[in-house]
Amino acid sequence: MKDTKRLLSYVRRAIDDYNMIKDGDKVAVGVSAGKDSLTLLCAMAELRRFYPKKFELIAITIDMGFDGADFSDIQKLCDELDVEYHVVPSQISKIIFDVRKEKSPCSLCAKMRRGALHNSAKEFGCTSVALGHHFDDAVETFMLNLFFEGRIGCFSPVSYLSRIGLNLIRPMVYMPEKDVRYFASRNELPVAVSLCPADGNTEREEMKKLLAELDRKHKGLRYRVFGAMQRGEIDGFKEFGRLGGIEAYADNEE
């Protein structure tokens, strides 16, 4: 893999800061065939080689049931990375679009996918599930909650799912999306076009565009929002006597 040093600098710092991995963990990476989860898979596979806390790694894809879905290229990547890969079939797309005919499907879809992923990880003997949410996702989620729900909140870097007994970790929470995009392109990862009919027509896409516009006018806006989340200790975010892995982001925005 090319350019793994920068990738690992973000991922290892987040894992160390939030104690995401313990000795003997078995981590399932949720792989959706998008750039974020594939980049996370590569990072975790590389980290596994030298990280002082030894852990096992598998990859899980929840097959949504869309016609034309093909996961053979992801299987090839997993073979190259020496990562066990599982594709778990589901009827999520049929339930959402054919049975329920949801006009705003994203929330229910995400909930069902998470449930299927968590259950599968537990069945495969995993202790943790790793998701590919990155720095920009965190800022966008914070702003979405503020704008559309009127509350201060975000997802957590680490959380424990007591109902099922799994840790949920987000090792790329310090990594800007542009670096994810660069790594995926540079290494020609098998990123697949989303087959979901609702893709690209969401409140998150609106927020992404708004933040991009505001950031052009006010350089470093996103990193300042992230810093405020850390200082306010929003949903488990913490400040570690520095910018928590995002100083490189701010520098690159100059």
Side-chain angles (χ1 to χ4, degrees):
M1 287 287 169
K2 304 170 185 175
D3 299 308
T4 58
K5 185 176 180 180
R6 184 173 179 81
L7 174 70
L8 289 171
S9 69
Y10 287 115
V11 170
R12 179 162 186 177
R13 180 174 288 184
I15 288 174
D16 286 346
D17 279 355
Y18 289 98
N19 193 26
M20 292 183 181
I21 291 178
K22 299 177 178 60
D23 264 317
D25 274 352
K26 185 174 182 179
V27 181
V29 176
V31 176
S32 66
K35 69 181 189 317
D36 304 337
S37 60
L38 291 172
T39 296
L40 175 61
L41 175 63
C42 294
M44 296 298 287
E46 181 68 15
L47 187 71
R48 178 186 54 177
R49 296 175 52 245
F50 64 84
Y51 197 60
K53 298 177 183 178
K54 301 304 178 185
F55 64 95
E56 295 180 57
L57 187 68
I58 69 169
I60 300 175
T61 293
I62 303 300
D63 182 353
M64 300 283 289
F66 291 116
D67 291 337
D70 181 6
F71 306 108
S72 58
D73 286 339
I74 300 177
Q75 180 67 68
K76 291 177 185 176
L77 175 63
C78 288
D79 291 342
E80 293 173 8
L81 298 173
D82 191 24
V83 174
E84 182 181 315
Y85 182 48
H86 300 273
V87 178
V88 179
S90 80
Q91 296 296 315
I92 294 175
S93 64
K94 181 178 180 179
I95 293 170
I96 290 177
F97 293 106
D98 298 338
V99 177
R100 295 177 61 103
K101 301 186 186 300
E102 291 282 335
K103 294 182 179 179
S104 301
C106 296
S107 178
L108 178 60
C109 178
K111 184 176 182 179
M112 294 181 71
R113 281 188 292 114
R114 284 196 302 267
L117 175 61
H118 298 164
N119 289 334
S120 298
K122 193 67 176 178
E123 290 175 8
F124 294 130
C126 296
T127 56
S128 304
V129 172
L131 300 179
H133 295 117
H134 48 63
F135 167 87
D136 292 77
D137 285 329
V139 174
E140 289 161 14
T141 299
F142 177 82
M143 296 298 286
L144 282 166
N145 288 333
L146 183 64
F147 274 49
F148 294 103
E149 297 184 24
R151 66 181 181 89
I152 303 295
C154 187
F155 53 70
S156 299
V158 178
S159 54
Y160 180 66
L161 307 176
S162 57
R163 183 186 63 81
I164 197 168
L166 283 172
N167 286 310
L168 195 62
I169 63 175
R170 293 177 167 92
M172 293 204 307
V173 74
Y174 289 158
M175 188 170 181
E177 184 176 18
K178 64 180 182 179
D179 286 342
V180 177
R181 190 182 303 113
Y182 176 80
F183 181 85
S185 175
R186 178 91 165 122
N187 288 281
E188 299 182 343
L189 299 185
V191 177
V193 176
S194 174
L195 298 173
C196 176
D199 186 58
N201 186 27
T202 64
E203 290 176 347
R204 182 170 291 276
E205 284 301 313
E206 287 184 51
M207 183 56 65
K208 186 183 292 289
K209 292 175 183 177
L210 175 60
L211 283 169
E213 181 180 347
L214 290 172
D215 207 50
R216 282 193 292 270
K217 296 179 181 178
H218 309 284
K219 293 296 183 184
L221 172 70
R222 281 172 285 191
Y223 106 83
R224 289 193 294 273
V225 172
F226 191 89
M229 291 165 57
Q230 291 181 302
R231 290 187 291 275
E233 298 189 355
I234 304 300
D235 288 326
F237 281 88
K238 295 179 182 179
E239 189 174 28
F240 294 91
R242 48 182 166 73
L243 293 178
I246 59 171
E247 59 269 33
Y249 178 82
D251 292 342
N252 289 340
E253 291 297 292
E254 296 298 330

Coordinates of all heavy atoms in Angstrom, one line a residue, residues 141-223:
T141 N -22.0 15.8 11.4 CA -23.0 15.3 12.3 C -23.3 16.2 13.4 O -24.5 16.4 13.7 CB -22.5 13.9 12.9 OG1 -22.2 13.0 11.8 CG2 -23.5 13.3 13.9
F142 N -22.3 16.9 14.0 CA -22.5 17.9 15.0 C -23.4 19.0 14.5 O -24.4 19.4 15.1 CB -21.2 18.4 15.5 CG -21.3 19.6 16.5 CD1 -21.5 19.3 17.8 CD2 -21.2 20.9 16.1 CE1 -21.6 20.3 18.8 CE2 -21.3 21.9 17.0 CZ -21.6 21.6 18.4
M143 N -23.1 19.5 13.3 CA -23.9 20.6 12.7 C -25.3 20.2 12.3 O -26.2 20.9 12.4 CB -23.1 21.2 11.5 CG -21.8 21.8 11.9 SD -21.9 23.2 13.0 CE -22.6 24.4 11.9
L144 N -25.4 18.9 11.8 CA -26.7 18.4 11.5 C -27.6 18.4 12.7 O -28.8 18.7 12.6 CB -26.6 17.0 10.8 CG -26.2 17.0 9.4 CD1 -25.8 15.5 9.0 CD2 -27.3 17.4 8.5
N145 N -27.1 17.9 13.8 CA -27.9 17.8 15.0 C -28.3 19.2 15.5 O -29.4 19.4 16.0 CB -27.1 17.1 16.1 CG -27.0 15.6 15.9 OD1 -27.8 15.0 15.2 ND2 -25.9 15.0 16.4
L146 N -27.4 20.1 15.3 CA -27.7 21.5 15.8 C -28.7 22.2 14.9 O -29.7 22.8 15.3 CB -26.4 22.3 15.7 CG -26.5 23.8 16.2 CD1 -26.8 23.9 17.6 CD2 -25.1 24.5 15.9
F147 N -28.6 22.0 13.6 CA -29.5 22.7 12.6 C -30.9 22.0 12.6 O -31.9 22.7 12.5 CB -28.9 22.6 11.2 CG -27.9 23.7 10.9 CD1 -26.9 24.1 11.8 CD2 -28.0 24.5 9.7 CE1 -26.0 25.1 11.5 CE2 -27.1 25.5 9.4 CZ -26.1 25.8 10.3
F148 N -30.9 20.7 12.5 CA -32.2 20.0 12.2 C -32.8 19.4 13.4 O -34.0 19.1 13.4 CB -31.9 18.9 11.2 CG -31.5 19.5 9.8 CD1 -30.2 19.4 9.4 CD2 -32.4 20.0 9.0 CE1 -29.8 19.9 8.2 CE2 -32.1 20.6 7.8 CZ -30.8 20.5 7.3
E149 N -32.1 19.2 14.5 CA -32.7 18.7 15.7 C -32.7 19.6 16.9 O -33.3 19.3 18.0 CB -32.0 17.3 16.1 CG -32.2 16.3 15.0 CD -31.6 14.9 15.5 OE1 -31.5 14.7 16.7 OE2 -31.3 14.1 14.6
G150 N -31.9 20.7 16.8 CA -31.9 21.7 17.9 C -31.2 21.1 19.1 O -31.5 21.5 20.2
R151 N -30.2 20.3 18.9 CA -29.5 19.7 20.1 C -28.0 19.7 19.8 O -27.5 19.7 18.7 CB -30.0 18.3 20.4 CG -29.6 17.3 19.4 CD -30.2 15.9 19.8 NE -29.9 14.9 18.8 CZ -28.8 14.1 18.8 NH1 -27.9 14.3 19.8 NH2 -28.6 13.2 17.9
I152 N -27.2 19.7 20.9 CA -25.8 19.6 20.8 C -25.4 18.1 21.0 O -25.6 17.5 22.0 CB -25.1 20.4 22.0 CG1 -25.5 21.9 21.9 CG2 -23.6 20.3 21.9 CD1 -25.1 22.6 20.7
G153 N -24.8 17.6 19.9 CA -24.5 16.1 20.0 C -23.8 15.7 18.7 O -23.8 16.3 17.7
C154 N -23.1 14.5 18.9 CA -22.4 13.9 17.8 C -22.3 12.4 18.1 O -22.8 11.9 19.2 CB -21.0 14.5 17.6 SG -20.1 13.9 16.1
F155 N -21.8 11.6 17.2 CA -21.5 10.2 17.5 C -20.3 10.2 18.4 O -19.5 11.3 18.5 CB -21.3 9.3 16.3 CG -20.3 9.9 15.3 CD1 -18.9 9.9 15.6 CD2 -20.7 10.4 14.1 CE1 -18.0 10.4 14.7 CE2 -19.8 10.9 13.1 CZ -18.4 10.9 13.5
S156 N -20.0 9.2 19.1 CA -18.8 9.1 20.0 C -17.6 8.4 19.4 O -17.8 7.5 18.6 CB -19.2 8.3 21.3 OG -20.3 9.0 22.0
P157 N -16.4 8.8 19.7 CA -15.2 8.1 19.2 C -15.2 6.6 19.6 O -14.9 5.8 18.8 CB -14.0 8.8 19.8 CG -14.6 10.2 20.1 CD -16.0 10.0 20.5
V158 N -15.7 6.4 20.8 CA -15.8 5.0 21.4 C -17.1 4.9 22.2 O -17.4 5.8 22.9 CB -14.6 4.7 22.3 CG1 -14.8 3.3 22.9 CG2 -13.3 4.8 21.6
S159 N -17.8 3.9 22.0 CA -19.0 3.6 22.8 C -19.2 2.1 23.0 O -18.7 1.3 22.3 CB -20.3 4.2 22.2 OG -20.4 3.7 20.9
Y160 N -19.8 1.8 24.2 CA -20.0 0.4 24.5 C -21.5 0.1 24.3 O -22.4 0.8 24.8 CB -19.6 0.1 25.9 CG -19.9 -1.3 26.3 CD1 -19.1 -2.4 25.7 CD2 -20.8 -1.7 27.3 CE1 -19.3 -3.7 26.1 CE2 -21.0 -3.0 27.6 CZ -20.3 -4.0 27.0 OH -20.5 -5.3 27.4
L161 N -21.8 -0.9 23.5 CA -23.1 -1.4 23.2 C -23.5 -2.4 24.2 O -23.2 -3.6 24.0 CB -23.3 -1.9 21.8 CG -22.8 -0.9 20.7 CD1 -22.9 -1.6 19.3 CD2 -23.5 0.4 20.7
S162 N -24.1 -2.0 25.3 CA -24.3 -3.0 26.5 C -25.3 -4.0 26.1 O -25.2 -5.2 26.6 CB -24.8 -2.2 27.7 OG -26.0 -1.5 27.4
R163 N -26.3 -3.7 25.2 CA -27.3 -4.7 24.9 C -26.7 -5.9 24.2 O -27.1 -7.1 24.5 CB -28.3 -4.1 24.0 CG -29.5 -5.0 23.6 CD -30.4 -4.4 22.6 NE -29.8 -4.1 21.3 CZ -29.6 -5.0 20.4 NH1 -29.9 -6.3 20.6 NH2 -29.0 -4.7 19.3
I164 N -25.7 -5.7 23.4 CA -25.1 -6.8 22.7 C -23.7 -7.2 23.1 O -23.1 -8.2 22.8 CB -25.1 -6.5 21.1 CG1 -24.9 -7.8 20.3 CG2 -24.1 -5.5 20.8 CD1 -25.2 -7.7 18.9
G165 N -23.1 -6.3 23.9 CA -21.7 -6.5 24.4 C -20.6 -6.3 23.4 O -19.7 -7.1 23.3
L166 N -20.6 -5.2 22.7 CA -19.6 -4.8 21.8 C -19.1 -3.4 22.0 O -19.9 -2.5 22.4 CB -20.2 -4.9 20.3 CG -20.3 -6.3 19.7 CD1 -21.1 -6.2 18.4 CD2 -19.0 -7.0 19.5
N167 N -17.9 -3.2 21.7 CA -17.4 -1.8 21.6 C -17.5 -1.3 20.2 O -17.2 -2.0 19.3 CB -15.9 -1.8 22.1 CG -15.7 -1.9 23.6 OD1 -16.4 -1.2 24.3 ND2 -14.8 -2.8 24.0
L168 N -17.9 -0.1 20.1 CA -18.0 0.6 18.8 C -16.9 1.6 18.7 O -16.9 2.6 19.5 CB -19.4 1.2 18.6 CG -19.8 1.6 17.2 CD1 -19.9 0.4 16.3 CD2 -21.2 2.3 17.2
I169 N -16.0 1.5 17.7 CA -14.8 2.4 17.7 C -14.8 3.1 16.3 O -15.2 2.5 15.3 CB -13.5 1.7 17.9 CG1 -13.2 0.6 16.9 CG2 -13.5 1.1 19.4 CD1 -11.9 -0.1 17.1
R170 N -14.2 4.3 16.3 CA -14.1 5.1 15.0 C -12.7 5.6 14.9 O -12.4 6.7 15.2 CB -15.1 6.2 15.0 CG -16.6 5.8 15.0 CD -17.5 6.9 15.0 NE -18.9 6.5 14.7 CZ -19.8 6.1 15.5 NH1 -19.5 6.0 16.8 NH2 -21.0 5.8 15.1
P171 N -11.8 4.7 14.4 CA -10.3 5.0 14.4 C -10.0 6.2 13.5 O -8.8 6.7 13.6 CB -9.7 3.7 14.0 CG -10.7 2.7 14.3 CD -12.0 3.3 14.0
M172 N -10.8 6.6 12.5 CA -10.4 7.6 11.6 C -11.0 9.0 11.9 O -11.1 9.9 11.1 CB -10.9 7.3 10.1 CG -10.2 6.1 9.5 SD -10.1 6.1 7.7 CE -11.9 6.2 7.3
V173 N -11.4 9.1 13.2 CA -12.1 10.4 13.6 C -11.2 11.6 13.5 O -11.7 12.7 13.5 CB -12.7 10.2 15.0 CG1 -11.6 10.3 16.1 CG2 -13.8 11.2 15.3
Y174 N -9.9 11.4 13.4 CA -9.0 12.6 13.3 C -8.6 12.8 11.8 O -8.0 13.8 11.5 CB -7.7 12.3 14.0 CG -7.7 12.4 15.5 CD1 -6.8 11.8 16.3 CD2 -8.8 13.1 16.2 CE1 -6.8 11.8 17.7 CE2 -8.8 13.2 17.5 CZ -7.8 12.5 18.3 OH -7.9 12.6 19.7
M175 N -9.0 11.9 10.9 CA -8.5 12.0 9.5 C -9.5 12.8 8.6 O -10.6 12.4 8.4 CB -8.4 10.6 9.0 CG -7.7 10.5 7.6 SD -7.2 8.8 7.2 CE -6.5 9.1 5.6
P176 N -9.0 13.9 8.0 CA -9.9 14.6 7.1 C -10.3 13.8 5.9 O -9.5 13.0 5.4 CB -9.0 15.8 6.7 CG -7.9 15.9 7.7 CD -7.7 14.5 8.2
E177 N -11.5 14.1 5.3 CA -12.0 13.4 4.2 C -11.1 13.5 3.0 O -10.9 12.5 2.2 CB -13.4 13.8 3.9 CG -14.0 13.0 2.8 CD -15.5 13.4 2.5 OE1 -15.9 14.6 2.9 OE2 -16.2 12.7 1.8
K178 N -10.4 14.6 2.8 CA -9.6 14.7 1.6 C -8.4 13.8 1.6 O -8.0 13.3 0.6 CB -9.1 16.2 1.5 CG -8.2 16.7 2.6 CD -7.8 18.1 2.3 CE -6.8 18.6 3.4 NZ -6.3 20.0 3.1
D179 N -7.9 13.4 2.8 CA -6.9 12.5 2.9 C -7.4 11.0 2.7 O -6.7 10.2 2.1 CB -6.2 12.5 4.3 CG -5.3 13.8 4.4 OD1 -5.0 14.4 3.4 OD2 -5.0 14.1 5.6
V180 N -8.6 10.8 3.1 CA -9.2 9.5 2.8 C -9.4 9.3 1.3 O -9.1 8.3 0.7 CB -10.6 9.4 3.5 CG1 -11.3 8.1 3.1 CG2 -10.5 9.5 5.0
R181 N -9.9 10.4 0.7 CA -10.1 10.4 -0.8 C -8.8 10.1 -1.5 O -8.7 9.4 -2.5 CB -10.8 11.7 -1.2 CG -11.3 11.7 -2.6 CD -11.8 13.0 -3.0 NE -12.9 13.4 -2.1 CZ -12.9 14.4 -1.3 NH1 -11.8 15.2 -1.2 NH2 -13.9 14.7 -0.5
Y182 N -7.7 10.8 -1.0 CA -6.4 10.7 -1.7 C -5.9 9.3 -1.6 O -5.4 8.7 -2.5 CB -5.4 11.7 -1.1 CG -4.0 11.6 -1.6 CD1 -3.7 12.1 -2.9 CD2 -3.1 10.9 -0.9 CE1 -2.4 12.0 -3.4 CE2 -1.8 10.7 -1.4 CZ -1.5 11.3 -2.6 OH -0.2 11.2 -3.2
F183 N -6.0 8.7 -0.4 CA -5.5 7.4 -0.1 C -6.2 6.3 -1.0 O -5.6 5.5 -1.6 CB -5.6 7.0 1.4 CG -5.0 5.6 1.7 CD1 -3.7 5.4 1.9 CD2 -5.9 4.5 1.7 CE1 -3.2 4.2 2.2 CE2 -5.4 3.2 2.0 CZ -4.0 3.1 2.2
A184 N -7.5 6.5 -1.0 CA -8.3 5.5 -1.8 C -8.0 5.6 -3.3 O -7.9 4.6 -4.0 CB -9.8 5.8 -1.6
S185 N -7.8 6.8 -3.8 CA -7.4 7.0 -5.2 C -6.0 6.5 -5.5 O -5.8 5.8 -6.5 CB -7.6 8.5 -5.6 OG -7.2 8.7 -6.9
R186 N -5.1 6.9 -4.6 CA -3.7 6.5 -4.8 C -3.5 5.0 -4.9 O -2.6 4.5 -5.6 CB -2.9 7.2 -3.7 CG -1.4 6.8 -3.7 CD -0.7 7.9 -4.5 NE 0.8 7.8 -4.2 CZ 1.7 7.6 -5.2 NH1 1.4 7.5 -6.4 NH2 3.0 7.5 -4.8
N187 N -4.3 4.3 -4.1 CA -4.1 2.9 -4.0 C -5.1 2.1 -4.8 O -5.2 0.9 -4.7 CB -4.2 2.4 -2.5 CG -2.9 2.8 -1.7 OD1 -1.9 2.2 -1.8 ND2 -3.1 3.9 -1.0
E188 N -5.9 2.8 -5.6 CA -6.9 2.2 -6.5 C -7.8 1.2 -5.7 O -8.0 0.1 -6.2 CB -6.3 1.6 -7.7 CG -5.5 2.6 -8.5 CD -4.8 1.9 -9.7 OE1 -4.7 0.7 -9.8 OE2 -4.5 2.7 -10.7
L189 N -8.3 1.6 -4.6 CA -9.2 0.8 -3.8 C -10.5 0.5 -4.6 O -10.9 1.4 -5.3 CB -9.5 1.4 -2.4 CG -8.3 1.6 -1.5 CD1 -8.7 2.1 -0.2 CD2 -7.5 0.4 -1.4
P190 N -11.1 -0.7 -4.4 CA -12.3 -1.0 -5.2 C -13.6 -0.3 -4.7 O -14.5 -1.0 -4.2 CB -12.3 -2.5 -5.0 CG -11.7 -2.8 -3.7 CD -10.6 -1.8 -3.6
V191 N -13.5 1.0 -4.8 CA -14.7 1.8 -4.3 C -15.8 1.6 -5.3 O -15.7 1.8 -6.6 CB -14.3 3.3 -4.2 CG1 -15.6 4.1 -3.8 CG2 -13.2 3.5 -3.2
A192 N -17.0 1.2 -4.8 CA -18.2 1.0 -5.7 C -19.1 2.1 -5.6 O -19.3 2.8 -4.6 CB -18.9 -0.3 -5.3
V193 N -19.8 2.4 -6.7 CA -20.8 3.4 -6.8 C -22.0 2.9 -6.0 O -22.4 1.7 -6.1 CB -21.2 3.7 -8.2 CG1 -22.4 4.7 -8.3 CG2 -20.1 4.3 -9.0
S194 N -22.6 3.8 -5.2 CA -23.7 3.4 -4.4 C -24.9 3.0 -5.2 O -25.2 3.7 -6.2 CB -24.1 4.5 -3.4 OG -25.3 4.1 -2.7
L195 N -25.6 1.9 -4.9 CA -26.8 1.5 -5.7 C -28.1 2.0 -5.0 O -29.1 1.7 -5.5 CB -26.8 -0.1 -5.7 CG -25.6 -0.7 -6.4 CD1 -25.7 -2.3 -6.3 CD2 -25.6 -0.3 -7.9
C196 N -27.9 2.7 -3.9 CA -29.1 3.2 -3.2 C -29.8 4.3 -4.0 O -29.1 5.3 -4.4 CB -28.7 3.7 -1.8 SG -30.1 4.4 -0.9
P197 N -31.1 4.3 -4.2 CA -31.8 5.3 -5.0 C -31.8 6.6 -4.3 O -32.0 7.7 -4.9 CB -33.2 4.8 -5.2 CG -33.3 3.7 -4.2 CD -32.0 3.1 -3.9
A198 N -31.6 6.6 -2.9 CA -31.6 7.9 -2.2 C -30.2 8.5 -2.0 O -30.1 9.6 -1.4 CB -32.2 7.6 -0.8
D199 N -29.2 7.9 -2.6 CA -27.8 8.4 -2.4 C -27.7 9.8 -3.0 O -28.1 10.1 -4.1 CB -26.9 7.4 -3.1 CG -25.4 7.8 -2.8 OD1 -25.0 7.9 -1.7 OD2 -24.7 8.1 -3.8
G200 N -27.0 10.7 -2.2 CA -26.8 12.0 -2.7 C -27.9 13.0 -2.5 O -27.7 14.2 -2.7
N201 N -29.0 12.6 -2.0 CA -30.2 13.5 -1.9 C -30.6 13.5 -0.4 O -31.6 13.0 0.0 CB -31.3 13.0 -2.7 CG -32.5 13.9 -2.7 OD1 -32.3 15.1 -2.5 ND2 -33.7 13.4 -2.9
T202 N -29.6 13.9 0.5 CA -29.8 13.9 1.9 C -29.5 15.2 2.6 O -28.8 16.0 2.0 CB -29.0 12.7 2.5 OG1 -27.6 13.1 2.3 CG2 -29.2 11.4 1.9
E203 N -29.9 15.3 3.8 CA -29.6 16.5 4.6 C -28.1 16.6 4.8 O -27.5 17.6 4.9 CB -30.3 16.5 6.0 CG -31.8 16.7 5.9 CD -32.5 16.5 7.2 OE1 -31.9 16.0 8.2 OE2 -33.7 16.9 7.3
R204 N -27.4 15.4 4.9 CA -26.0 15.4 5.1 C -25.2 16.0 3.9 O -24.3 16.7 4.1 CB -25.5 13.9 5.4 CG -23.9 13.9 5.6 CD -23.5 12.5 6.1 NE -24.0 12.2 7.4 CZ -23.4 12.6 8.5 NH1 -22.3 13.3 8.5 NH2 -23.9 12.3 9.7
E205 N -25.7 15.7 2.7 CA -25.1 16.3 1.5 C -25.3 17.8 1.5 O -24.4 18.6 1.1 CB -25.7 15.7 0.2 CG -25.2 14.3 -0.1 CD -23.7 14.2 -0.2 OE1 -23.2 15.1 -1.0 OE2 -23.1 13.4 0.3
E206 N -26.5 18.3 2.0 CA -26.7 19.7 2.1 C -25.7 20.3 3.1 O -25.1 21.4 2.8 CB -28.1 20.0 2.6 CG -29.2 19.7 1.6 CD -30.6 20.2 2.2 OE1 -30.7 21.3 2.7 OE2 -31.5 19.3 2.2
M207 N -25.5 19.7 4.2 CA -24.6 20.2 5.2 C -23.2 20.2 4.7 O -22.4 21.1 5.0 CB -24.7 19.4 6.5 CG -23.8 19.9 7.6 SD -24.1 21.7 8.0 CE -25.8 21.6 8.7
K208 N -22.8 19.1 4.0 CA -21.4 19.0 3.4 C -21.2 20.2 2.5 O -20.1 20.9 2.6 CB -21.3 17.7 2.7 CG -19.8 17.5 2.2 CD -19.8 16.2 1.4 CE -20.0 14.9 2.2 NZ -18.8 14.7 3.1
K209 N -22.1 20.5 1.7 CA -21.9 21.7 0.7 C -21.9 23.0 1.5 O -21.1 23.9 1.2 CB -23.1 21.7 -0.3 CG -23.0 20.5 -1.2 CD -24.3 20.5 -2.1 CE -24.2 19.3 -3.1 NZ -25.5 19.2 -3.9
L210 N -22.8 23.1 2.5 CA -22.8 24.4 3.3 C -21.5 24.6 4.0 O -20.9 25.7 4.0 CB -23.9 24.3 4.3 CG -24.0 25.5 5.3 CD1 -24.2 26.8 4.5 CD2 -25.2 25.3 6.3
L211 N -20.9 23.5 4.6 CA -19.7 23.7 5.4 C -18.5 24.0 4.4 O -17.6 24.7 4.8 CB -19.4 22.4 6.2 CG -20.2 22.2 7.5 CD1 -20.0 20.8 8.0 CD2 -19.8 23.3 8.5
A212 N -18.6 23.4 3.2 CA -17.5 23.6 2.3 C -17.5 25.1 1.8 O -16.5 25.8 1.7 CB -17.7 22.7 1.0
E213 N -18.7 25.6 1.6 CA -18.8 27.1 1.3 C -18.4 28.0 2.4 O -17.6 28.9 2.2 CB -20.3 27.4 0.9 CG -20.5 28.8 0.5 CD -22.0 29.1 0.2 OE1 -22.8 28.1 0.0 OE2 -22.3 30.3 0.0
L214 N -18.8 27.7 3.6 CA -18.4 28.5 4.8 C -16.9 28.4 5.0 O -16.3 29.4 5.4 CB -19.2 28.1 6.0 CG -20.7 28.4 6.0 CD1 -21.3 27.7 7.2 CD2 -20.9 29.9 6.0
D215 N -16.3 27.2 4.8 CA -14.9 27.0 5.0 C -14.0 27.8 4.0 O -12.9 28.2 4.3 CB -14.6 25.5 5.0 CG -13.4 25.2 5.9 OD1 -13.3 25.7 7.1 OD2 -12.5 24.5 5.4
R216 N -14.6 28.0 2.8 CA -13.9 28.7 1.8 C -13.8 30.2 2.3 O -12.8 30.9 2.0 CB -14.5 28.6 0.5 CG -14.2 27.3 -0.3 CD -14.7 27.4 -1.7 NE -16.1 27.4 -1.9 CZ -16.9 26.4 -2.0 NH1 -16.4 25.2 -1.9 NH2 -18.2 26.5 -2.1
K217 N -14.8 30.7 2.9 CA -14.9 32.1 3.4 C -14.1 32.3 4.7 O -13.5 33.3 5.0 CB -16.3 32.5 3.5 CG -17.1 32.6 2.2 CD -18.5 33.0 2.5 CE -19.3 33.0 1.2 NZ -20.8 33.4 1.5
H218 N -14.2 31.2 5.5 CA -13.6 31.3 6.9 C -12.7 30.1 7.1 O -13.1 29.1 7.6 CB -14.7 31.3 7.9 CG -15.8 32.4 7.7 ND1 -15.6 33.7 7.9 CD2 -17.0 32.2 7.2 CE1 -16.7 34.4 7.6 NE2 -17.6 33.5 7.1
K219 N -11.4 30.2 6.6 CA -10.5 29.1 6.6 C -10.3 28.5 8.0 O -10.2 29.2 9.0 CB -9.1 29.6 6.1 CG -9.1 30.0 4.6 CD -9.4 28.8 3.7 CE -9.3 29.2 2.2 NZ -9.7 28.0 1.4
G220 N -10.4 27.2 8.0 CA -10.2 26.5 9.3 C -11.5 26.4 10.1 O -11.4 25.9 11.3
L221 N -12.6 26.7 9.5 CA -13.9 26.6 10.3 C -14.2 25.2 10.8 O -14.5 25.1 12.0 CB -15.1 27.0 9.4 CG -16.5 26.8 9.9 CD1 -16.7 27.8 11.0 CD2 -17.5 27.0 8.8
R222 N -14.0 24.2 10.0 CA -14.3 22.9 10.5 C -13.4 22.4 11.6 O -13.9 21.8 12.6 CB -14.2 21.9 9.3 CG -15.4 21.9 8.4 CD -15.2 21.1 7.1 NE -14.3 21.8 6.2 CZ -14.1 21.4 4.9 NH1 -14.7 20.3 4.5 NH2 -13.3 22.1 4.2
Y223 N -12.1 22.8 11.6 CA -11.2 22.4 12.6 C -11.6 23.1 13.9 O -11.4 22.6 15.0 CB -9.8 22.5 12.2 CG -9.0 23.6 12.8 CD1 -8.4 23.5 14.1 CD2 -8.8 24.8 12.1 CE1 -7.7 24.5 14.6 CE2 -8.0 25.8 12.7 CZ -7.5 25.7 13.9 OH -6.7 26.7 14.5

